Amino acid sequence: MFWKKKRKSPVTVEDEEWLINDLSWLKEVLSTPHFLEISTITPTKKYYNRVFTGIEEDAHFVLKRTMELMCINEVKIELIFFNDSPVEMSDGTILTTSADINGSWESAAGIYEAKGDETKIYIERQQLKNPTSLIATIAHELSHVILLGENIIEENDEYLTDLMAITYGFGIFIGNSRFNFSQHSRGNMIGWQSSAQGYLPEQVIAFFMALLSIERKENTDYKKFLNKSMLKYFNQSLEYLGSK
């Protein structure tokens, strides 16, 4: 007798339960019809028809277009650019980076700030050099606008914010920008360094994308767009969920 081999999940049992519960909650919050009509956003001219040259106007374009894709209307957002250093806010306080969980300064890709009717999104200038990371960052910060700005949640939750951005179709950008690699040189020495962006591990992002793909009966050809490690986790997730 041949036994069907049980596929292994790329995430823990606890993470699987958490992701399934959050998917159900997000579906309810957004309403089932709207949730199901959302498409995966791909790095193509269909969604971002622009030649990116690393200038501030690129970010303004991405902000406007991403707001359209995330159905954010009647919200005025000021885009502010900063260099890789702690950010002093309008009230004089030093803002902790959105990438900082433990209280120490680490490079922030983007920061969300809301006071009364004023909403500001801060973008680190290095993001302008990488359209994928720029789009991922702005999608994440706009998810704050939805969750906090619309009072859906009372306290900030960065993991849920990432999931909201992925739910709105930005999983390819969030996943592919999870780790960024850059070349650096000093004198006659040249090397590479990596930096992490976002909060969720690749396997969690990929698993949640697989859940969405099944829920929405998608036909997106992810192998055209996902990097090697993300595609591995995504396919593994599909195989595991399909074998349950």
Side-chain angles (χ1 to χ4, degrees), residues 133-148:
S133 294
L134 178 63
I135 292 169
T137 298
I138 288 180
H140 176 91
E141 302 310 327
L142 287 177
S143 295
H144 282 305
V145 174
I146 297 172
L147 290 169
L148 293 171

Side-chain angles (χ1 to χ4, degrees), residues 28-238:
E28 180 180 351
V29 165
L30 296 176
S31 81
T32 299
H34 180 50
F35 173 89
L36 293 176
E37 72 182 3
I38 297 172
S39 301
T40 294
I41 310 301
T42 58
T44 60
K45 290 185 177 181
K46 176 181 178 180
Y47 296 101
Y48 290 96
N49 188 10
R50 182 180 178 88
V51 176
F52 291 89
T53 58
I55 59 178
E56 292 183 1
E57 283 74 11
D58 291 342
H60 287 285
F61 167 81
V62 170
L63 176 63
K64 181 180 179 181
R65 181 64 177 130
T66 307
M67 287 178 69
E68 293 172 354
L69 293 170
M70 298 180 74
C71 304
I72 298 175
N73 306 305
E74 300 179 358
V75 179
K76 185 178 180 180
I77 298 175
E78 181 181 0
L79 203 57
I80 301 172
F81 300 92
F82 69 96
N83 295 320
D84 185 11
S85 58
V87 179
E88 183 175 352
M89 310 307 290
S90 54
D91 61 359
T93 59
I94 301 298
L95 188 68
T96 15
T97 165
S98 59
D100 175 18
I101 297 176
N102 301 314
S104 60
W105 178 259
E106 296 177 12
S107 178
I111 299 168
Y112 164 81
E113 180 188 30
K115 282 187 178 182
D117 296 331
E118 294 185 354
T119 300
K120 298 177 182 179
I121 289 178
Y122 296 76
I123 298 294
E124 208 283 315
R125 290 187 180 279
Q126 290 296 317
Q127 297 292 299
L128 298 175
K129 299 179 180 179
N130 188 328
T132 297
S133 294
L134 178 63
I135 292 169
T137 298
I138 288 180
H140 176 91
E141 302 310 327
L142 287 177
S143 295
H144 282 305
V145 174
I146 297 172
L147 290 169
L148 293 171
E150 297 181 12
N151 297 314
I152 295 175
I153 59 176
E154 294 182 359
E155 295 184 2
N156 184 35
D157 184 332
E158 293 292 352
Y159 301 111
L160 180 61
T161 303
D162 259 355
L163 293 183
M164 176 64 85
I166 298 168
T167 299
Y168 261 104
F170 290 90
I172 292 171
F173 297 90
I174 299 287
N176 284 350
S177 62
R178 182 63 184 88
F179 291 101
N180 294 310
F181 294 86
S182 60
Q183 190 179 48
H184 63 89
S185 62
R186 178 175 297 178
N188 61 352
M189 298 180 64
I190 298 176
W192 289 86
Q193 64 184 16
S194 66
S195 60
Q197 177 175 324
Y199 295 87
L200 301 175
E202 286 180 309
Q203 58 267 38
V204 170
I205 297 170
F207 190 89
F208 195 70
M209 289 173 63
L211 285 173
L212 285 169
S213 181
I214 293 171
E215 187 78 10
R216 292 171 173 162
K217 298 179 174 60
E218 288 187 334
N219 58 3
T220 302
D221 188 359
Y222 283 97
K223 64 177 176 289
K224 289 183 178 180
F225 307 111
L226 288 176
N227 63 38
K228 187 176 180 180
S229 59
M230 276 295 300
L231 183 61
K232 179 189 72 172
Y233 288 130
F234 178 77
N235 287 336
Q236 183 182 354
S237 298
L238 285 180

